[in-house]
Amino acid sequence: MKVLVVGSGGREHTIVWKLAQSKVVDRIYCAPGNAGISEIAECIEVESKDLSALIDFVKYEWIDLTVVGPEEPLAQGIVDLFIKEGRRIVGPTKAAAQIEASKVFAKDFMKRHNIPTADYKIFTSYTHAEDYIRLKGTPIVIKADGLAAGKGVFVVQSFEEAQQALRLIMKEKIFGSSGDRVVIEDYLSGTEASYLVFTDGQTIIPMVTSKDHKRLLDNDQGPNTGGMGTYSPNPVITPEVERAILEKIIKPAIKGLKKEGITYKGILYAGLMIVNNKPYVLEFNCRFGDPETQVILPRLETDIIDIFMAIAEGQLNKINVKWKDEASLCVVLASEGYPGKYKKGLPILGLDRVKSLKDVIVFHAGTKFSEEGNIVTNGGRVLGVTALGKTINEARQKAYSAVEFISFEGMQYRKDIGLNV
Ligand code: AMP
Ligand code: GLY
């Protein structure tokens, strides 16, 4: 089989890495990929948002199945286009992807279907938004409606901070039209968890649980990022909490979408806050998480192509998914300046030294080959170092020992991923 993976981050490297273990996959392509991916797949120079070039490639190369990593092509309607052209693809349609692409849609949807989430109001006017926050007080959470690469959420502690966030989103339009509307929601205090499932719109198969660390700095300080590290399983998701997540969140979401005429196929990811053992949805994502995938897929035993094919063909009820009874942990190595501006093109040292380490996998995100053939930095999040172990603590020790070998100028990473779990 020939498979195309769309995207270029650590998540996509992990998907490609897992596909490469399949007995039935002969060729893997990645658009556009990165340096690490190019070691196990053929990278093609097509951007993940260039839908017409992607469909042309798939037709020309007779690709059997396409898997979409990032949210943008899904929100643009890549799945609708591929289905219209009779091509197999894993991911939700444009209508279904709204669950991530519009926070206003997601919040109103959750309200319609009684899915637990923080109370909220929607604003299109800066003045009204400001008045509301003056009334409600802080802490409070301000979210740009549309996609903002994981950076459109501001948890603010003071009225001044709130004004600044509103100004950036609504007046300076730092996220463009994604900031035409804002959601202002109550602050929830608890423990975060990521819960992802495979679904074909009918059958739901949960993945193992995980936890992301969104803030840049240790002890959850600093700005929100795309994610600085993860571990799996997430012990805060006890069997009882997991039941509540499935019964009160995941099933009502898939059923609710169906009632509204949308069959959701692909990966559904609920970003949760667990408050007193009760799960609340912070956000839905219409795709695999990054860096959640880097700890989830290394624990998957089943051939991933069987799962992907079953999703695309609506046959997920025929699949039995098995997971390894091991823990995993991923530390993200990021460029100096991330999530703000950062330099690119800095040489990365030590990658060869970690290749031989047992139970350690380095997933590339923002990397590329320089003209001289060296691997250099090419993004904010550069690498994800994943390790497996009997416990989270063992995985943590192996991951951080591997990190010691790797360096590039300005490299920053959190030291507290999975600490004291
Ligand atoms: P989101 O992209 O909506 O998941 O938000 C990004 C991050 O902001 C989350 O991972 C949380 O750390 C934080 N956050 C979002 N919504 C809330 C909320 N209602 N209460 C507290 N923290 C939140
Ligand atoms: N790790 C957060 C995300 O993928 O959105």
Side-chain angles (χ1 to χ4, degrees), residues 34-39 345-352 355 362 364-378 382-383 407-408:
N34 60 37
I37 294 175
S38 73
E39 291 177 357
L346 303 167
I348 305 170
L349 306 177
L351 288 171
D352 281 337
K355 273 196 177 141
V362 177
H364 289 222
T367 68
K368 68 168 190 181
F369 280 102
S370 66
E371 278 172 18
E372 297 78 35
N374 300 316
I375 297 181
V376 297
T377 65
N378 193 38
V382 177
L383 300 164
S407 65
F408 54 85

Side-chain angles (χ1 to χ4, degrees), residues 121-179:
K121 278 210 174 334
I122 291 157
F123 295 93
T124 48
S125 138
Y126 175 92
T127 321
H128 292 160
E130 199 186 69
D131 286 348
Y132 178 72
I133 293 172
R134 196 175 282 120
L135 201 74
K136 288 281 290 189
T138 52
I140 204 160
V141 185
I142 303 172
K143 302 183 173 185
D145 174 37
L147 294 180
K151 292 165 200 158
V153 173
F154 296 81
V155 179
V156 295
Q157 303 298 336
S158 67
F159 184 66
E160 290 67 39
E161 267 183 64
Q163 281 178 310
Q164 194 193 351
L166 286 176
R167 200 164 47 238
L168 290 171
I169 301 172
M170 302 185 89
K171 291 194 165 158
E172 293 177 24
K173 295 261 174 206
I174 59 167
F175 308 116
S177 61
S178 284

Side-chain angles (χ1 to χ4, degrees), residues 45-61:
E45 275 182 46
V46 173
E47 285 306 315
S48 58
K49 286 192 252 184
D50 191 349
L51 306 195
S52 61
L54 289 169
I55 189 76
D56 283 349
F57 177 80
V58 161
K59 287 181 180 171
Y60 186 76
E61 285 290 340

Side-chain angles (χ1 to χ4, degrees), residues 241-300:
V241 171
E242 180 156 22
R243 235 177 344 264
I245 296 170
L246 280 167
E247 296 305 324
K248 296 203 157 90
I249 293 169
I250 304 291
K251 287 186 192 170
I254 306 283
K255 273 198 194 136
L257 285 164
K258 192 150 244 170
K259 256 194 212 142
E260 298 189 11
I262 297 169
T263 301
Y264 191 100
K265 281 185 172 197
I267 283 85
L268 180 64
Y269 159 167
L272 305 167
M273 189 70 88
I274 315 292
V275 186
N276 299 326
N277 282 323
K278 291 207 172 66
Y280 292 82
V281 178
L282 298 179
E283 63 168 348
F284 279 116
N285 293 320
C286 62
R287 49 166 176 86
F288 278 112
D290 189 339
E292 282 88 343
T293 310
Q294 288 90 313
V295 288
I296 292 174
L297 293 190
R299 296 187 59 202
L300 177 63

